């Protein structure tokens, strides 16, 4: 399930709900991303999405992940709007028969979300506003999935 | 009228996020925006800016009808 929300969420509750009623799933991996304060340089993060388009684009990559890693299920919850340091921005959960597929699919989905999913992120701090763009490391991270088979 | 949407830093540069403009080709529409606002024009042609027409990414020129939605998407960053 792909969800955007402008409300804070509790990652533990999401994992509990995601784990329920699975008799054939041997492994669930999750990732939770938090907003960093950057030692006071970031007072608030603001995430913008393109409603409808953003969910569908993430849905396409989710379909790829399902097929590539043989997932039983996955969940992506992403915040939009204003986010304070320490709050969760993103939660990804993947369910598979075995751990390797679950770990890798979670990693794959996060690399995609960092630099290819339709979100725009603005950092506000004492020095003013700054739009964040993907770093070289983010591009290198996603390239790993394009070179392996 | 076609609906034009700007995201991320593009809307900060332009000072608007959404506008209705008469239908024309995508490239003509971009040229029209650049004529009105040189800073926006430069940003729209900048590296990594993609265009979505009716919520599908398009590369190259395309026809924009009166019911189209055109979105200019600067480099994306989530997570």
């Amino acid at each position: 399930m792909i969800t955007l929300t402008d409300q804070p969420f509790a990652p533990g509750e999401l994992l509990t709900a995601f784990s329920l009623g699975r008799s054939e799933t041997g492994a669930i991996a999750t990732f939770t991303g938090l907003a960093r304060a950057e030692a006071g340089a970031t007072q608030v993060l603001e995430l913008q999405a393109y409603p409808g388009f953003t969910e569908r684009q993430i849905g396409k990559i989710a379909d790829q992940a399902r097929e590539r890693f043989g997932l039983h299920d996955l969940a992506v919850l992403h915040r939009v709007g204003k986010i304070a340091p320490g709050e969760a921005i993103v939660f990804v959960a993947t369910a598979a028969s075995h751990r390797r597929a679950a770990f890798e699919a979670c990693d794959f989905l996060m690399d995609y979300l960092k630099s290819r999913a339709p979100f725009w992120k603005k950092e506000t701090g004492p020095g003013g506003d700054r739009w964040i763009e993907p770093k070289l490391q983010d591009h290198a991270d996603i390239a790993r999935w394009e070179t392996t088979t | 009228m076609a609906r034009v949407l700007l995201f991320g830093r593009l809307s900060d540069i332009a000072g608007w996020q959404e506008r209705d403009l008469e239908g024309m080709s995508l490239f003509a529409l971009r040229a029209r925006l650049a004529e009105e606002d040189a800073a926006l024009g430069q940003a729209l042609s900048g590296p990594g800016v993609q265009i979505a027409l009716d919520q599908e990414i398009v590369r190259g020129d395309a026809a924009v009808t009166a019911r189209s939605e055109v979105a200019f998407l600067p480099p994306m960053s989530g997570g």
Side-chain angles (χ1 to χ4, degrees):
Chain A
M1 200 167 71
I2 315 291
T3 314
L4 304 185
T5 177
D6 59 3
Q7 298 297 314
F9 62 86
E13 290 171 14
L14 298 176
L15 171 58
T16 300
F18 186 77
S19 306
L20 282 178
R22 299 193 184 279
S23 51
E24 296 303 324
T25 291
I28 289 174
T30 68
F31 175 87
T32 304
L34 305 181
R36 284 189 307 264
E38 305 281 13
T42 304
Q43 290 158 339
V44 65
L45 268 187
E46 192 165 352
L47 258 294
Q48 187 185 29
Y50 182 0
F53 178 74
T54 297
E55 291 94 323
R56 269 189 296 112
Q57 294 296 111
I58 299 173
K60 286 183 193 172
I61 209 77
D63 288 344
Q64 277 185 38
R66 274 193 193 92
E67 189 176 342
R68 179 166 179 167
F69 301 100
L71 296 181
H72 298 172
D73 197 5
L74 65 82
V76 175
L77 182 74
H78 207 297
R79 284 282 296 277
V80 293
K82 288 187 163 61
I83 300 156
E87 288 183 1
I89 301 181
V90 61
F91 174 85
V92 172
T94 53
S97 295
H98 301 286
R99 71 182 182 283
R100 185 69 54 214
F103 278 136
E104 288 188 350
C106 200
D107 199 15
F108 170 85
L109 286 164
M110 274 313 304
D111 283 346
Y112 167 80
L113 288 167
K114 286 300 282 190
S115 60
R116 297 280 204 280
F119 290 104
W120 298 274
K121 190 160 55 181
K122 185 159 69 173
E123 212 175 63
T124 302
D129 292 348
R130 193 171 74 90
W131 287 98
I132 313 286
E133 295 197 349
K135 301 177 191 72
L136 281 178
Q137 184 62 53
D138 295 321
H139 293 302
D141 285 342
I142 201 159
R144 293 183 303 152
W145 304 104
E146 286 151 12
T147 52
T148 56
T149 51
Chain B
M1 300 288 267
R3 173 139 303 182
V4 180
L5 304 173
L6 302 180
F7 287 90
R9 60 181 164 81
L10 299 176
S11 52
D12 280 0
I13 291 166
W16 54 271
Q17 220 237 310
E18 190 174 323
R19 258 181 80 180
D20 290 332
L21 285 175
E22 52 190 274
M24 55 185 104
S25 84
L26 267 187
F27 285 3
L29 191 147
R30 189 172 60 185
R32 159 92 180 272
L33 292 172
E35 243 169 62
E36 288 177 16
D37 182 338
L40 177 63
Q42 198 172 15
L44 292 178
S45 312
V49 175
Q50 300 184 84
I51 303 176
L53 176 60
D54 294 324
Q55 303 210 348
E56 291 293 337
I57 298 283
V58 289
R59 303 184 200 283
D61 207 358
V64 175
T65 72
R67 285 183 303 279
S68 296
E69 182 174 276
V70 177
F72 290 93
L73 314 172
M76 300 162 177
S77 176

